[in-house]
């Protein structure tokens, strides 16, 4: 019988990572942690189940045992589990980078590409990130600027605030800035072309690898056209509010503010629930219960409905993702 799966993330550390994922979200790591893959079936870092009869198994193993019906027909059309969700703590700025689309990635890398969405969970005053270019340029100019170190002169630096949203289509130049905590919903891919890294050295004392030629081939050399920042309408629903963040062929994500009893679940897709703030109780249609606290990540199988019960004094904030 299906039941909600409480997940332990795969935690990654990189030279730019901070401490908040450990100290505030309770994830296991060393002194620092850059990323927590809170919903992952990717071979580079899989989520492990913490509760029930599937405890100790990976999410991928549970789905294999339950069958494709557990992820729903919307997700089952993909040749792979379609979504990877992360929390990212950038103590320092990340490299300027770009991801290819499926067509390019499959042809040249044998894996799928990467479109993603960022939701700014928190940030320090004055924080900014790079989102695309400020003006249209040629591929030749882009290549030259990467090589001579002036590419940042044409990057679109955006000041950020809590709650800002950025939809990053494959091919969009981007970089998370220092002092930003982000929830990222993306295609299930770990393919990145690093364009520029400010001359930093990796843990091995060497310059980190760049992928300039491939980046030039896939980058969009025009400014982004999608709205960003405080986007997404908020609607009142029984038990709280829903703010729609982004929707595309790969995922649909919203922020739920749970201040009472809110019912959710879908017949045609699994649902992911990631608690970003506060806590609430989840009860499924079979009466199974679990507490969803800050950092908690739940995989809700397709066809299983559940209710969230939150407090009006301290509404829980939930990142809610499914395939539409």
């Amino acid at each position: 019988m299906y039941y909600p799966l409480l997940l332990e993330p795969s935690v990654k550390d990189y030279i730019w990572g901070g401490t908040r994922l450990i100290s505030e979200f309770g994830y296991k790591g060393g002194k620092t942690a850059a990323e927590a893959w809170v919903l992952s079936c990717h071979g580079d870092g899989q989520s492990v189940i913490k509760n029930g009869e599937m405890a100790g198994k990976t999410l991928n193993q549970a789905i294999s045992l339950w069958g494709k019906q557990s992820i729903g027909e919307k997700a089952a059309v993909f040749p792979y589990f379609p979504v990877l969700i992360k929390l990212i703590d950038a103590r320092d700025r990340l490299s300027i980078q770009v991801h290819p689309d499926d067509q390019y990635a499959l042809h040249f890398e044998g894996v799928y590409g990467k479109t993603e969405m960022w939701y700014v969970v928190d940030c320090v005053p004055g924080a900014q990130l790079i989102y695309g270019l400020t003006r249209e340029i040629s591929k030749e100019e882009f290549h030259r600027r990467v090589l001579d170190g002036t590419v940042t002169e044409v990057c679109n630096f955006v000041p950020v605030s809590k709650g800002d949203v950025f939809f990053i289509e494959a091919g969009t130049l981007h970089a998370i800035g220092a002092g930003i905590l982000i929830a990222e919903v993306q295609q299930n891919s770990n393919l990145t072309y690093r364009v520029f890294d400010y001359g930093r050295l990796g843990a091995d004392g060497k310059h980190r690898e760049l992928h300039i030629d491939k980046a030039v081939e896939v980058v969009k050399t025009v400014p982004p056209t999608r709205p960003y920042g405080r986007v997404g309408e908020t609607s009142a629903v029984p038990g709280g509010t829903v703010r729609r963040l982004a929707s595309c062929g790969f995922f649909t994500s919203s922020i739920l503010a749970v201040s009472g009893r809110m019912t959710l679940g879908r017949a045609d897709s699994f649902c992911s629930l990631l608690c970003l703030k506060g806590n609430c109780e989840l009860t499924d249609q079979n009466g199974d219960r679990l507490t969803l606290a800050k950092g908690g990540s739940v995989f809700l199988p397709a066809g299983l409905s559940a209710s969230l019960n939150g407090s009006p004094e301290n509404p829980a904030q939930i990142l809610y993702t499914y395939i539409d």
Side-chain angles (χ1 to χ4, degrees):
M1 181 182 294
Y2 300 159
Y3 67 96
L5 303 178
L6 185 62
L7 304 176
E8 181 77 29
S10 174
V11 178
K12 310 287 185 181
D13 196 20
Y14 307 111
I15 61 173
W16 45 263
T19 60
R20 298 185 67 177
L21 300 181
I22 301 167
S23 61
E24 295 181 26
F25 289 84
Y27 299 143
K28 298 174 182 176
K31 293 183 179 179
T32 59
E35 298 181 352
W37 293 18
V38 297
L39 179 84
S40 175
C41 287
H42 198 282
D44 290 343
Q46 301 199 29
S47 301
V48 176
I49 298 161
K50 300 170 66 174
N51 64 317
E53 63 183 19
M54 292 289 184
K57 291 182 168 58
T58 64
L59 175 58
N60 199 41
Q61 287 172 329
I63 292 169
S64 296
L65 289 168
W66 278 344
K68 285 192 173 182
Q69 62 270 24
S70 66
I71 64 173
E73 61 184 28
K74 294 284 190 178
V77 300
F78 291 86
Y80 61 101
F81 186 79
V83 173
L84 173 59
I85 300 178
K86 304 175 180 177
L87 277 172
I88 300 173
D89 177 21
R91 174 188 53 82
D92 196 3
R93 58 189 174 181
L94 276 68
S95 63
I96 301 174
Q97 54 193 239
V98 67
H99 309 300
D101 61 17
D102 284 347
Q103 183 178 5
Y104 186 95
L106 285 169
H107 182 75
F108 290 100
E109 310 288 358
V111 297
Y112 285 85
K114 185 174 171 183
T115 284
E116 62 192 12
M117 180 211 71
W118 290 342
Y119 175 77
V120 179
V121 179
D122 198 11
C123 59
V124 299
Q128 59 182 358
L129 54 77
I130 292 173
Y131 182 55
L133 302 173
T134 57
R135 60 177 175 84
E136 183 174 357
I137 62 176
S138 66
K139 294 274 190 178
E140 291 75 20
E141 180 182 352
F142 179 78
H143 193 193
R144 173 181 61 78
R145 286 185 175 277
V146 172
L147 294 178
D148 67 18
T150 63
V151 68
T152 56
E153 295 178 8
V154 292
C155 289
N156 181 32
F157 285 87
V158 183
V160 296
S161 302
K162 287 183 186 180
D164 283 352
V165 178
F166 297 83
F167 185 84
I168 303 167
E169 293 179 292
T172 304
L173 197 71
H174 60 278
I176 302 173
I180 303 177
L181 179 67
I182 274 179
E184 177 177 287
V185 182
Q186 58 159 94
Q187 282 181 266
N188 188 6
S189 172
N190 197 27
L191 180 59
T192 295
Y193 294 151
R194 194 179 292 129
V195 177
F196 186 73
D197 198 34
Y198 309 98
R200 289 184 295 193
L201 302 179
D204 59 1
K206 299 178 182 179
H207 290 289
R208 297 200 295 168
E209 182 182 6
L210 302 179
H211 315 92
I212 295 173
D213 291 340
K214 290 180 177 179
V216 170
E217 289 184 334
V218 305
V219 71
K220 298 178 186 293
T221 54
V222 294
T225 57
R226 276 185 175 255
Y228 57 87
R230 295 297 298 185
V231 298
E233 293 184 0
T234 299
S235 303
V237 298
T241 62
V242 177
R243 178 187 171 196
R244 183 86 161 218
L245 301 182
S247 185
C248 64
F250 304 111
F251 53 80
T252 293
S253 292
S254 302
I255 288 290
L256 311 179
V258 185
S259 56
R261 185 177 185 274
M262 186 181 295
T263 302
L264 43 78
R266 296 178 66 90
D268 57 2
S269 172
F270 71 90
C271 300
S272 166
L273 295 87
L274 172 62
C275 186
L276 301 175
K277 179 182 178 182
N279 63 79
C280 58
E281 185 178 67
L282 184 150
T283 306
D284 73 10
Q285 66 194 44
N286 302 314
D288 292 321
R289 297 184 178 186
L290 57 84
T291 298
L292 191 54
K294 183 176 180 178
S297 175
V298 169
F299 171 89
L300 186 67
L304 189 65
S305 63
S307 64
L308 297 177
N309 290 277
S311 164
E313 291 78 26
N314 185 28
Q317 187 183 73
I318 306 293
L319 177 64
Y320 183 49
T321 301
Y322 54 88
I323 311 299
D324 200 357

